[in-house]
Amino acid sequence: DMAASATQKLLSSLDPKRAGDLCKDLLASAGITVGGDQPWDIQVHDERLWSRMLRDGTLGAGESYVEGWWDVPALDQFVDRAMRAHLSDTLRENWMIVPHILRAKVLNLQNLRRASGNAHHHYDIGNDLYEPMLGSRMLYTCAYYPPGVTSLDDAQEAKLDLVCRKIGLTKGMRILDLGCGWGGFAAFAAERYGVDVVGFTVAEEQVKWAHERYAHLPIDIRLDDYRNATGTYDAVVSIGLMEHVGWKNYRSYMELVDRCLAPGGVAFVHTICGNRARAHIDPWFDKYIFPNSVLPTLARLVNAMENIFVAEDIHNIGEDYDRTLMAWFERFDAAWPTLRKQYGEPFYRMWKYYLLASAGAFRSRNQQLFQFVMTRPGTRAPAGRRG
């Protein structure tokens, strides 16, 4: 690690021309040509880019894009190619990130005190942004595209019904939804399956929106941290929470679910996962999009459930997140003329980078989306565990 850091320091001190030559060679290894005519080819507007990328890694790459130092016609295709060639690892593992890594390893960045601030940074930006982007049910998690489904709204409905079938919902059940967002799953489950749902979120705007939209349904959306959940439920679900739980807290999450689950109950987790264990996310995403988040891995979550839950089914729908993110960007882009005045041009480039770089990450299979169905040892497997 010290040798790698020393190498990166040396690279960052190179003259601009040499830095440019090194970066262009790296990009060429991924089939990316600087100034080329393919949709994934990078167009450079400021030659300082190369030294900045060598010095600051992926943080510098993202910041310089937002600042207009470079462009690419199809950012998602650029990121897909770069990740398949592991260029992000070359940039990510540099000396600038060492303090970031140490902080994530030593501190519990997702503790109760920090949780509401982490959520406010992203989820309370404004419902006027999320409503046109996310679709009719305001679902900010991966959709599901079975054969014949093409629209985002239909794919999100298919995802919700898949979840309900996997946990075996029947009328009269009581469900706990940890990290419930704008209440999309809770409302769907109440409408279609006749269940009662209690949901927890620490984002104020989500609670306000859900209370206004779903006052007629038997759902209770609470402004509170998931760790404060109590009571007994027939099923406990989290759809898009685990990315904010933090690697130090996976075991305590499983213990909480166990405390809240009725005998014979079913637990369900829907989460992005990385391909290898890390204590942090990419520094650009940490700084600008999801502060203090971390992607779990399949191994870490399976270890966390040891002797508490049995994994009845593990389903990877990660390729569908590529389509979901591209649909979100198309909708955001179409709505931008009405959002521009409030959010400003730098926000547009930041949000575009976030959505399209994320799509490229899933397309390259650098990130996955796992759905877990879990029961306690001794419980009969739910009939719908595979949907």
Side-chain angles (χ1 to χ4, degrees), residues 165-180:
R165 287 184 284 115
K166 282 184 174 182
I167 61 178
L169 289 193
T170 57
K171 188 174 182 179
M173 282 184 168
R174 190 165 184 253
I175 313 302
L176 176 61
D177 185 358
L178 301 175
C180 63

Side-chain angles (χ1 to χ4, degrees), residues 272-276 295-305 314-315 370-372:
I272 300 171
C273 280
N275 289 346
R276 60 174 170 167
L295 298 184
T297 61
L298 183 62
R300 276 183 161 172
L301 293 181
V302 171
N303 285 338
M305 70 176 73
I314 300 174
H315 183 190
F370 286 113
Q371 292 186 338
F372 297 78

Side-chain angles (χ1 to χ4, degrees), residues 103-352:
R103 179 171 172 265
K105 286 183 177 295
V106 173
L107 301 177
N108 185 349
L109 298 177
Q110 299 80 23
N111 65 23
L112 200 60
R113 180 175 58 82
R114 290 187 173 96
S116 60
N118 295 342
H120 177 75
H121 179 90
H122 190 84
Y123 296 102
D124 287 335
I125 290 174
N127 289 337
D128 60 336
L129 166 67
Y130 288 118
E131 284 177 342
M133 175 178 134
L134 298 181
S136 59
R137 286 194 180 271
M138 292 280 275
L139 295 166
Y140 202 11
T141 51
C142 179
Y144 176 58
Y145 289 86
V149 171
T150 57
S151 76
L152 175 65
D153 281 341
D154 287 348
Q156 290 290 18
E157 294 272 319
K159 186 267 297 295
L160 293 176
D161 197 59
L162 179 68
V163 175
C164 291
R165 287 184 284 115
K166 282 184 174 182
I167 61 178
L169 289 193
T170 57
K171 188 174 182 179
M173 282 184 168
R174 190 165 184 253
I175 313 302
L176 176 61
D177 185 358
L178 301 175
C180 63
W182 287 270
F185 167 78
F188 181 91
E191 291 167 354
R192 302 290 180 87
Y193 287 84
V195 299
D196 295 344
V197 185
V198 175
F200 282 72
T201 175
V202 292
E204 295 180 11
E205 292 299 317
Q206 292 181 337
V207 174
K208 292 177 185 176
W209 194 93
H211 285 176
E212 291 172 2
R213 180 64 64 93
Y214 301 127
H216 62 292
L217 292 175
I219 65 176
D220 178 9
I221 305 299
R222 302 178 184 178
L223 181 63
D224 201 353
D225 191 274
Y226 77 93
R227 282 162 283 209
N228 294 326
T230 57
T232 304
Y233 302 85
D234 300 295
V236 179
V237 305
S238 64
I239 304 172
L241 170 69
M242 197 62 71
E243 301 90 339
H244 306 288
V245 168
W247 67 280
K248 291 179 178 291
N249 307 311
Y250 297 149
R251 182 68 176 183
S252 60
Y253 170 89
M254 297 296 175
E255 292 168 346
L256 170 83
V257 173
D258 184 42
R259 290 195 300 272
C260 291
L261 198 61
V266 179
F268 176 90
V269 170
H270 168 119
T271 183
I272 300 171
C273 280
N275 289 346
R276 60 174 170 167
R278 294 183 181 276
H280 55 89
I281 60 170
D282 177 272
W284 186 86
F285 279 80
D286 179 77
K287 184 174 180 179
Y288 294 100
I289 306 298
F290 296 114
N292 297 325
S293 296
V294 60
L295 298 184
T297 61
L298 183 62
R300 276 183 161 172
L301 293 181
V302 171
N303 285 338
M305 70 176 73
E306 187 173 301
N307 207 34
I308 298 177
F309 291 115
V310 174
E312 297 289 359
D313 184 61
I314 300 174
H315 183 190
N316 188 354
I317 62 170
E319 289 185 297
D320 287 359
Y321 223 148
D322 177 12
R323 295 180 67 177
T324 304
L325 285 153
M326 294 303 294
W328 286 345
F329 174 72
E330 290 170 8
R331 296 171 69 100
F332 164 71
D333 192 53
W336 182 247
T338 63
L339 299 171
R340 177 183 283 112
K341 185 175 181 180
Q342 179 178 348
Y343 290 93
E345 291 304 323
F347 182 90
Y348 176 83
R349 290 185 68 87
M350 178 182 72
W351 216 247
K352 180 179 181 179

